[in-house]
Amino acid sequence: MGRRYDCADAEQRAAGLTDAASAVRKGELVVLPTDTVYGIGADAFTPSAVTALLEAKGRGRDMPPPVLVGTVRAANALVEDLGPYGQDLIDAFWPGPLTLVCKANRSLSWDLGDTKGTVAVRMPLHPVALDLLKETGPMAVSSANRSGAPAATTAQNAEEQLGDAIAVYLDGGPCADDTPSSILDLTTAVPRLLRKGAISVEKLRGIVGYVATD
């Protein structure tokens, strides 16, 4: 079974973060708490690890995972261009439950799946996640559940679904809210909402003016 650490305990949290960072560097998978639901994470720059993440979820390359970052600077390095609204949205809502889809930096050698040259990037508002991301750098992170099953709101939920596919489980207690992040596409002339989530359309429009919704 994967190694599990109770992050409410300071010693276990420190040991868990060290173990998780080491596992990510080795191309293994970890489960971490975020400000929305638990996530399954892998080094974004290790293609075999991203493939393992998709296999653990039971997903194909047609559903590439988003990338979580621990700093705004890390996000800037991943994208070609934030467009006219990206920085204002980051200033307003990061760290927090807003995922921005941008054109990916073409010089990066990574393989997240069939991304069509884009990357979905987010900085989560969770101390355990941020501490891990500052150690590992950008991680491909998707919700910690088998495809089609409910998203995990506890480390126990995640372990029941993912079992031995995960090297390290960081237990940050139950999620305060299981509403997913809002996903906003900035690759088109008008920002387009791809998924309704924790940040309302009204709040987004307060920053960018018009938001297209399907």
Side-chain angles (χ1 to χ4, degrees):
M1 290 298 284
R3 302 176 293 281
R4 188 157 149 196
Y5 297 89
D6 178 3
C7 293
D9 178 280
E11 280 185 22
Q12 281 203 44
R13 174 180 164 144
L17 285 166
T18 299
D19 193 6
S22 171
V24 170
R25 283 192 282 269
K26 287 190 283 193
E28 296 174 338
L29 303 179
V30 301
V31 159
L32 62 154
T34 77
D35 48 348
T36 54
V37 294
Y38 273 78
I40 171 175
D43 177 24
F45 295 97
T46 303
S48 59
V50 176
T51 298
L53 186 160
L54 292 172
E55 285 174 355
K57 279 187 68 77
R59 254 190 192 174
R61 286 174 54 81
D62 59 323
M63 296 183 78
V67 175
L68 295 192
V69 293
T71 64
V72 174
R73 181 185 294 175
N76 277 307
L78 300 180
V79 306
E80 199 75 38
D81 179 18
L82 283 170
Y85 307 110
Q87 191 58 54
D88 290 342
L89 288 161
I90 285 170
D91 292 344
F93 300 117
W94 279 15
L98 176 64
T99 300
L100 299 175
V101 177
C102 303
K103 290 189 171 71
N105 184 335
R106 282 172 289 195
S107 68
L108 295 175
S109 55
W110 61 356
D111 183 6
L112 297 171
D114 301 333
T115 63
K116 300 180 177 66
T118 65
V119 61
V121 65
R122 180 167 97 82
M123 184 176 172
L125 181 58
H126 194 290
V128 173
L130 289 172
D131 283 352
L132 180 60
L133 289 159
K134 282 167 186 167
E135 283 292 315
T136 61
M139 286 174 65
V141 179
S142 188
S143 56
N145 56 284
R146 293 286 296 170
S147 201
T153 56
T154 66
Q156 177 74 30
N157 278 164
E159 198 166 1
E160 286 163 1
Q161 294 193 53
L162 301 166
D164 291 341
I166 309 300
V168 176
Y169 288 87
L170 296 176
D171 186 347
C175 295
D177 186 1
D178 64 357
T179 308
S181 67
S182 303
I183 302 179
L184 193 65
D185 184 355
L186 298 182
T187 65
T188 50
V190 173
R192 194 162 60 97
L193 191 69
L194 300 183
R195 180 175 76 188
K196 288 183 177 174
I199 295 176
S200 69
V201 178
E202 291 71 34
K203 283 185 179 171
L204 294 171
R205 285 181 176 146
I207 302 297
V208 304
Y210 184 75
V211 174
T213 55
D214 292 338

